[in-house]
Amino acid sequence: MIRRSLDVYIIPSSDEHQSEYVAPADERRRYIDGFSGSYGVAVVTARHQALWTDGRYFLQADQELDCNWLLMKMKNPGVPKMTEWLQTTLRPGAKGGG
């Protein structure tokens, strides 16, 4: 038996066709984090959960995410880009999926 594991799972708001507005059955990111805004990217590791979204949704995300989630307010001073955060959070050679 081959065992495959992921160190990080990335869940965008879009569906497999890259649609911005998706059918309720395709709201994978909303299912994971509870955030109902149309734009955001959730990142889940074994120890951390973070959501990147833009200024249109800062207040909404703050209200809808529970305390286990880090809200990453994109383009705000001191907020790392997702790739920067992943480089500091994960070990070298980590495997990701989405």
Side-chain angles (χ1 to χ4, degrees):
M1 178 164 104
I2 298 173
R3 183 175 178 195
R4 296 184 175 124
S5 62
L6 297 175
D7 299 296
V8 61
Y9 198 73
I10 300 171
I11 309 108
S13 297
S14 60
D15 61 12
E16 63 273 10
H17 305 289
Q18 302 300 311
S19 304
E20 181 179 359
Y21 298 100
V22 298
D26 292 323
E27 292 181 335
R28 293 175 283 278
R29 200 249 327 122
R30 183 177 183 177
Y31 177 80
I32 293 295
D33 61 19
F35 170 59
S36 65
S38 66
Y39 178 76
V41 178
V43 176
V44 178
T45 72
R47 299 179 65 178
H48 305 284
Q49 301 81 231
L51 172 75
W52 276 260
T53 193
D54 63 29
R56 298 173 291 171
Y57 298 110
F58 290 168
L59 292 175
Q60 181 180 349
D62 194 41
Q63 293 171 350
E64 293 179 352
L65 295 174
D66 71 24
C67 63
N68 296 304
W69 284 86
L70 298 169
L71 175 54
M72 300 295 197
K73 298 178 178 179
M74 294 170 63
K75 299 185 180 179
N76 272 8
V79 176
K81 293 180 181 178
M82 184 175 31
T83 53
E84 296 168 344
W85 186 80
L86 288 169
Q87 288 174 340
T88 62
T89 303
L90 300 174
R91 61 177 167 69
K95 296 176 185 170

PDB file of all heavy atoms in Angstrom, residues 4 6 25-26 28-29 31 40-41 44 53 59 64 73-74 77 80 83 85 91 95-96:
ATOM      1  N   ARG A   4       0.254   8.293   0.762  1.00  0.00           N
ATOM      2  CA  ARG A   4       0.588   9.652   0.333  1.00  0.00           C
ATOM      3  C   ARG A   4      -0.017  10.621   1.322  1.00  0.00           C
ATOM      4  O   ARG A   4      -1.168  10.489   1.717  1.00  0.00           O
ATOM      5  CB  ARG A   4       0.032   9.911  -1.063  1.00  0.00           C
ATOM      6  CG  ARG A   4       0.652   9.024  -2.093  1.00  0.00           C
ATOM      7  CD  ARG A   4       0.149   9.372  -3.474  1.00  0.00           C
ATOM      8  NE  ARG A   4       0.853   8.571  -4.448  1.00  0.00           N
ATOM      9  CZ  ARG A   4       0.272   7.782  -5.328  1.00  0.00           C
ATOM     10  NH1 ARG A   4      -1.035   7.708  -5.377  1.00  0.00           N
ATOM     11  NH2 ARG A   4       0.980   7.078  -6.168  1.00  0.00           N
ATOM     12  N   LEU A   6      -0.174  14.950   2.570  1.00  0.00           N
ATOM     13  CA  LEU A   6       0.071  16.347   2.225  1.00  0.00           C
ATOM     14  C   LEU A   6       0.419  17.118   3.482  1.00  0.00           C
ATOM     15  O   LEU A   6      -0.116  16.845   4.559  1.00  0.00           O
ATOM     16  CB  LEU A   6      -1.171  16.972   1.576  1.00  0.00           C
ATOM     17  CG  LEU A   6      -1.625  16.381   0.252  1.00  0.00           C
ATOM     18  CD1 LEU A   6      -2.927  17.036  -0.183  1.00  0.00           C
ATOM     19  CD2 LEU A   6      -0.557  16.573  -0.797  1.00  0.00           C
ATOM     20  N   ALA A  25     -22.806  23.454  -4.576  1.00  0.00           N
ATOM     21  CA  ALA A  25     -22.135  22.160  -4.435  1.00  0.00           C
ATOM     22  C   ALA A  25     -20.622  22.266  -4.589  1.00  0.00           C
ATOM     23  O   ALA A  25     -19.889  21.365  -4.183  1.00  0.00           O
ATOM     24  CB  ALA A  25     -22.681  21.174  -5.461  1.00  0.00           C
ATOM     25  N   ASP A  26     -20.134  23.362  -5.172  1.00  0.00           N
ATOM     26  CA  ASP A  26     -18.699  23.548  -5.404  1.00  0.00           C
ATOM     27  C   ASP A  26     -18.050  24.531  -4.430  1.00  0.00           C
ATOM     28  O   ASP A  26     -16.910  24.936  -4.634  1.00  0.00           O
ATOM     29  CB  ASP A  26     -18.464  24.032  -6.836  1.00  0.00           C
ATOM     30  CG  ASP A  26     -18.807  22.967  -7.853  1.00  0.00           C
ATOM     31  OD1 ASP A  26     -18.542  21.784  -7.576  1.00  0.00           O
ATOM     32  OD2 ASP A  26     -19.331  23.320  -8.924  1.00  0.00           O
ATOM     33  N   ARG A  28     -16.213  24.586  -1.869  1.00  0.00           N
ATOM     34  CA  ARG A  28     -15.301  23.856  -0.997  1.00  0.00           C
ATOM     35  C   ARG A  28     -14.644  24.759   0.044  1.00  0.00           C
ATOM     36  O   ARG A  28     -14.526  24.390   1.207  1.00  0.00           O
ATOM     37  CB  ARG A  28     -14.233  23.144  -1.827  1.00  0.00           C
ATOM     38  CG  ARG A  28     -14.794  22.022  -2.676  1.00  0.00           C
ATOM     39  CD  ARG A  28     -13.732  21.422  -3.583  1.00  0.00           C
ATOM     40  NE  ARG A  28     -13.450  22.259  -4.740  1.00  0.00           N
ATOM     41  CZ  ARG A  28     -14.185  22.270  -5.853  1.00  0.00           C
ATOM     42  NH1 ARG A  28     -15.240  21.507  -5.944  1.00  0.00           N
ATOM     43  NH2 ARG A  28     -13.868  23.037  -6.857  1.00  0.00           N
ATOM     44  N   ARG A  29     -14.208  25.937  -0.381  1.00  0.00           N
ATOM     45  CA  ARG A  29     -13.547  26.840   0.562  1.00  0.00           C
ATOM     46  C   ARG A  29     -14.512  27.284   1.653  1.00  0.00           C
ATOM     47  O   ARG A  29     -14.180  27.293   2.832  1.00  0.00           O
ATOM     48  CB  ARG A  29     -12.952  28.045  -0.181  1.00  0.00           C
ATOM     49  CG  ARG A  29     -11.880  28.753   0.618  1.00  0.00           C
ATOM     50  CD  ARG A  29     -12.249  30.134   1.106  1.00  0.00           C
ATOM     51  NE  ARG A  29     -13.112  30.853   0.230  1.00  0.00           N
ATOM     52  CZ  ARG A  29     -14.318  31.320   0.616  1.00  0.00           C
ATOM     53  NH1 ARG A  29     -14.764  31.145   1.826  1.00  0.00           N
ATOM     54  NH2 ARG A  29     -15.072  31.976  -0.238  1.00  0.00           N
ATOM     55  N   TYR A  31     -17.066  25.651   2.765  1.00  0.00           N
ATOM     56  CA  TYR A  31     -17.302  24.494   3.620  1.00  0.00           C
ATOM     57  C   TYR A  31     -16.196  24.359   4.670  1.00  0.00           C
ATOM     58  O   TYR A  31     -16.455  24.041   5.827  1.00  0.00           O
ATOM     59  CB  TYR A  31     -17.395  23.220   2.774  1.00  0.00           C
ATOM     60  CG  TYR A  31     -17.566  21.968   3.586  1.00  0.00           C
ATOM     61  CD1 TYR A  31     -18.807  21.616   4.092  1.00  0.00           C
ATOM     62  CD2 TYR A  31     -16.478  21.142   3.855  1.00  0.00           C
ATOM     63  CE1 TYR A  31     -18.967  20.466   4.842  1.00  0.00           C
ATOM     64  CE2 TYR A  31     -16.628  19.992   4.609  1.00  0.00           C
ATOM     65  CZ  TYR A  31     -17.870  19.663   5.096  1.00  0.00           C
ATOM     66  OH  TYR A  31     -18.017  18.530   5.855  1.00  0.00           O
ATOM     67  N   GLY A  40     -11.465  34.429  -1.756  1.00  0.00           N
ATOM     68  CA  GLY A  40     -10.582  34.079  -0.657  1.00  0.00           C
ATOM     69  C   GLY A  40      -9.859  32.792  -0.994  1.00  0.00           C
ATOM     70  O   GLY A  40     -10.322  32.005  -1.820  1.00  0.00           O
ATOM     71  N   VAL A  41      -8.719  32.595  -0.358  1.00  0.00           N
ATOM     72  CA  VAL A  41      -7.967  31.352  -0.516  1.00  0.00           C
ATOM     73  C   VAL A  41      -7.654  30.855   0.891  1.00  0.00           C
ATOM     74  O   VAL A  41      -7.009  31.548   1.677  1.00  0.00           O
ATOM     75  CB  VAL A  41      -6.667  31.557  -1.317  1.00  0.00           C
ATOM     76  CG1 VAL A  41      -5.897  30.254  -1.413  1.00  0.00           C
ATOM     77  CG2 VAL A  41      -6.959  32.114  -2.694  1.00  0.00           C
ATOM     78  N   VAL A  44      -4.585  25.264   4.698  1.00  0.00           N
ATOM     79  CA  VAL A  44      -4.691  24.433   5.898  1.00  0.00           C
ATOM     80  C   VAL A  44      -3.447  23.557   6.007  1.00  0.00           C
ATOM     81  O   VAL A  44      -3.086  22.850   5.065  1.00  0.00           O
ATOM     82  CB  VAL A  44      -5.953  23.544   5.835  1.00  0.00           C
ATOM     83  CG1 VAL A  44      -6.044  22.647   7.057  1.00  0.00           C
ATOM     84  CG2 VAL A  44      -7.204  24.403   5.690  1.00  0.00           C
ATOM     85  N   THR A  53      -7.785  37.161   1.870  1.00  0.00           N
ATOM     86  CA  THR A  53      -8.859  37.813   1.127  1.00  0.00           C
ATOM     87  C   THR A  53      -8.518  39.285   0.975  1.00  0.00           C
ATOM     88  O   THR A  53      -7.597  39.791   1.619  1.00  0.00           O
ATOM     89  CB  THR A  53     -10.241  37.599   1.799  1.00  0.00           C
ATOM     90  OG1 THR A  53     -11.268  37.987   0.893  1.00  0.00           O
ATOM     91  CG2 THR A  53     -10.365  38.372   3.100  1.00  0.00           C
ATOM     92  N   LEU A  59     -14.091  42.891   6.904  1.00  0.00           N
ATOM     93  CA  LEU A  59     -15.060  42.877   8.001  1.00  0.00           C
ATOM     94  C   LEU A  59     -15.881  41.587   8.006  1.00  0.00           C
ATOM     95  O   LEU A  59     -16.091  40.978   9.053  1.00  0.00           O
ATOM     96  CB  LEU A  59     -15.998  44.084   7.921  1.00  0.00           C
ATOM     97  CG  LEU A  59     -15.347  45.436   8.179  1.00  0.00           C
ATOM     98  CD1 LEU A  59     -16.356  46.562   7.948  1.00  0.00           C
ATOM     99  CD2 LEU A  59     -14.792  45.509   9.587  1.00  0.00           C
ATOM    100  N   GLU A  64     -17.102  36.046  10.190  1.00  0.00           N
ATOM    101  CA  GLU A  64     -17.486  34.677   9.849  1.00  0.00           C
ATOM    102  C   GLU A  64     -16.463  33.606  10.197  1.00  0.00           C
ATOM    103  O   GLU A  64     -16.823  32.445  10.390  1.00  0.00           O
ATOM    104  CB  GLU A  64     -17.827  34.588   8.353  1.00  0.00           C
ATOM    105  CG  GLU A  64     -19.077  35.364   7.998  1.00  0.00           C
ATOM    106  CD  GLU A  64     -19.438  35.317   6.534  1.00  0.00           C
ATOM    107  OE1 GLU A  64     -18.641  34.801   5.716  1.00  0.00           O
ATOM    108  OE2 GLU A  64     -20.512  35.802   6.199  1.00  0.00           O
ATOM    109  N   LYS A  73      -5.113  39.816   5.689  1.00  0.00           N
ATOM    110  CA  LYS A  73      -5.693  40.942   4.953  1.00  0.00           C
ATOM    111  C   LYS A  73      -4.719  41.367   3.858  1.00  0.00           C
ATOM    112  O   LYS A  73      -3.777  42.122   4.097  1.00  0.00           O
ATOM    113  CB  LYS A  73      -5.995  42.084   5.902  1.00  0.00           C
ATOM    114  CG  LYS A  73      -7.023  41.704   6.952  1.00  0.00           C
ATOM    115  CD  LYS A  73      -7.277  42.835   7.915  1.00  0.00           C
ATOM    116  CE  LYS A  73      -8.349  42.441   8.918  1.00  0.00           C
ATOM    117  NZ  LYS A  73      -8.598  43.531   9.882  1.00  0.00           N
ATOM    118  N   MET A  74      -4.983  40.873   2.662  1.00  0.00           N
ATOM    119  CA  MET A  74      -4.077  41.074   1.532  1.00  0.00           C
ATOM    120  C   MET A  74      -3.747  42.545   1.305  1.00  0.00           C
ATOM    121  O   MET A  74      -4.601  43.409   1.432  1.00  0.00           O
ATOM    122  CB  MET A  74      -4.705  40.498   0.259  1.00  0.00           C
ATOM    123  CG  MET A  74      -4.849  38.988   0.294  1.00  0.00           C
ATOM    124  SD  MET A  74      -5.835  38.327  -1.066  1.00  0.00           S
ATOM    125  CE  MET A  74      -4.842  38.795  -2.470  1.00  0.00           C
ATOM    126  N   PRO A  77       0.062  46.381   5.256  1.00  0.00           N
ATOM    127  CA  PRO A  77       1.440  46.329   5.739  1.00  0.00           C
ATOM    128  C   PRO A  77       1.632  45.192   6.747  1.00  0.00           C
ATOM    129  O   PRO A  77       0.795  44.966   7.614  1.00  0.00           O
ATOM    130  CB  PRO A  77       1.641  47.691   6.418  1.00  0.00           C
ATOM    131  CG  PRO A  77       0.585  48.575   5.832  1.00  0.00           C
ATOM    132  CD  PRO A  77      -0.569  47.683   5.495  1.00  0.00           C
ATOM    133  N   PRO A  80       2.007  38.868   5.110  1.00  0.00           N
ATOM    134  CA  PRO A  80       2.789  38.176   4.082  1.00  0.00           C
ATOM    135  C   PRO A  80       1.905  37.669   2.949  1.00  0.00           C
ATOM    136  O   PRO A  80       0.720  37.371   3.148  1.00  0.00           O
ATOM    137  CB  PRO A  80       3.395  36.996   4.844  1.00  0.00           C
ATOM    138  CG  PRO A  80       2.421  36.724   5.936  1.00  0.00           C
ATOM    139  CD  PRO A  80       1.858  38.078   6.323  1.00  0.00           C
ATOM    140  N   THR A  83       2.636  32.766  -0.540  1.00  0.00           N
ATOM    141  CA  THR A  83       3.878  32.019  -0.802  1.00  0.00           C
ATOM    142  C   THR A  83       4.931  32.313   0.264  1.00  0.00           C
ATOM    143  O   THR A  83       5.650  31.404   0.682  1.00  0.00           O
ATOM    144  CB  THR A  83       4.430  32.351  -2.192  1.00  0.00           C
ATOM    145  OG1 THR A  83       4.566  33.759  -2.329  1.00  0.00           O
ATOM    146  CG2 THR A  83       3.519  31.807  -3.280  1.00  0.00           C
ATOM    147  N   TRP A  85       4.347  33.181   3.403  1.00  0.00           N
ATOM    148  CA  TRP A  85       3.883  32.527   4.629  1.00  0.00           C
ATOM    149  C   TRP A  85       4.170  31.036   4.589  1.00  0.00           C
ATOM    150  O   TRP A  85       4.624  30.449   5.573  1.00  0.00           O
ATOM    151  CB  TRP A  85       2.399  32.801   4.829  1.00  0.00           C
ATOM    152  CG  TRP A  85       1.848  32.295   6.122  1.00  0.00           C
ATOM    153  CD1 TRP A  85       1.942  32.886   7.345  1.00  0.00           C
ATOM    154  CD2 TRP A  85       1.100  31.090   6.317  1.00  0.00           C
ATOM    155  NE1 TRP A  85       1.296  32.118   8.289  1.00  0.00           N
ATOM    156  CE2 TRP A  85       0.765  31.004   7.677  1.00  0.00           C
ATOM    157  CE3 TRP A  85       0.674  30.079   5.463  1.00  0.00           C
ATOM    158  CZ2 TRP A  85       0.030  29.959   8.216  1.00  0.00           C
ATOM    159  CZ3 TRP A  85      -0.061  29.023   5.993  1.00  0.00           C
ATOM    160  CH2 TRP A  85      -0.366  28.976   7.360  1.00  0.00           C
ATOM    161  N   ARG A  91       8.187  23.058   6.324  1.00  0.00           N
ATOM    162  CA  ARG A  91       9.571  22.580   6.246  1.00  0.00           C
ATOM    163  C   ARG A  91       9.964  22.426   4.774  1.00  0.00           C
ATOM    164  O   ARG A  91       9.097  22.241   3.912  1.00  0.00           O
ATOM    165  CB  ARG A  91       9.724  21.252   6.985  1.00  0.00           C
ATOM    166  CG  ARG A  91       8.861  20.148   6.403  1.00  0.00           C
ATOM    167  CD  ARG A  91       9.085  18.824   7.120  1.00  0.00           C
ATOM    168  NE  ARG A  91       8.080  17.851   6.794  1.00  0.00           N
ATOM    169  CZ  ARG A  91       7.917  17.258   5.609  1.00  0.00           C
ATOM    170  NH1 ARG A  91       8.685  17.578   4.597  1.00  0.00           N
ATOM    171  NH2 ARG A  91       6.970  16.367   5.415  1.00  0.00           N
ATOM    172  N   LYS A  95       4.908  18.836   0.945  1.00  0.00           N
ATOM    173  CA  LYS A  95       4.042  18.532  -0.185  1.00  0.00           C
ATOM    174  C   LYS A  95       2.706  19.239  -0.009  1.00  0.00           C
ATOM    175  O   LYS A  95       2.150  19.242   1.083  1.00  0.00           O
ATOM    176  CB  LYS A  95       3.820  17.031  -0.315  1.00  0.00           C
ATOM    177  CG  LYS A  95       5.083  16.277  -0.620  1.00  0.00           C
ATOM    178  CD  LYS A  95       4.816  14.802  -0.637  1.00  0.00           C
ATOM    179  CE  LYS A  95       6.137  14.054  -0.817  1.00  0.00           C
ATOM    180  NZ  LYS A  95       5.982  12.630  -0.614  1.00  0.00           N
ATOM    181  N   GLY A  96       2.206  19.800  -1.118  1.00  0.00           N
ATOM    182  CA  GLY A  96       0.933  20.487  -1.073  1.00  0.00           C
ATOM    183  C   GLY A  96      -0.036  19.981  -2.114  1.00  0.00           C
ATOM    184  O   GLY A  96       0.345  19.327  -3.082  1.00  0.00           O
TER     185      GLY A  96
END
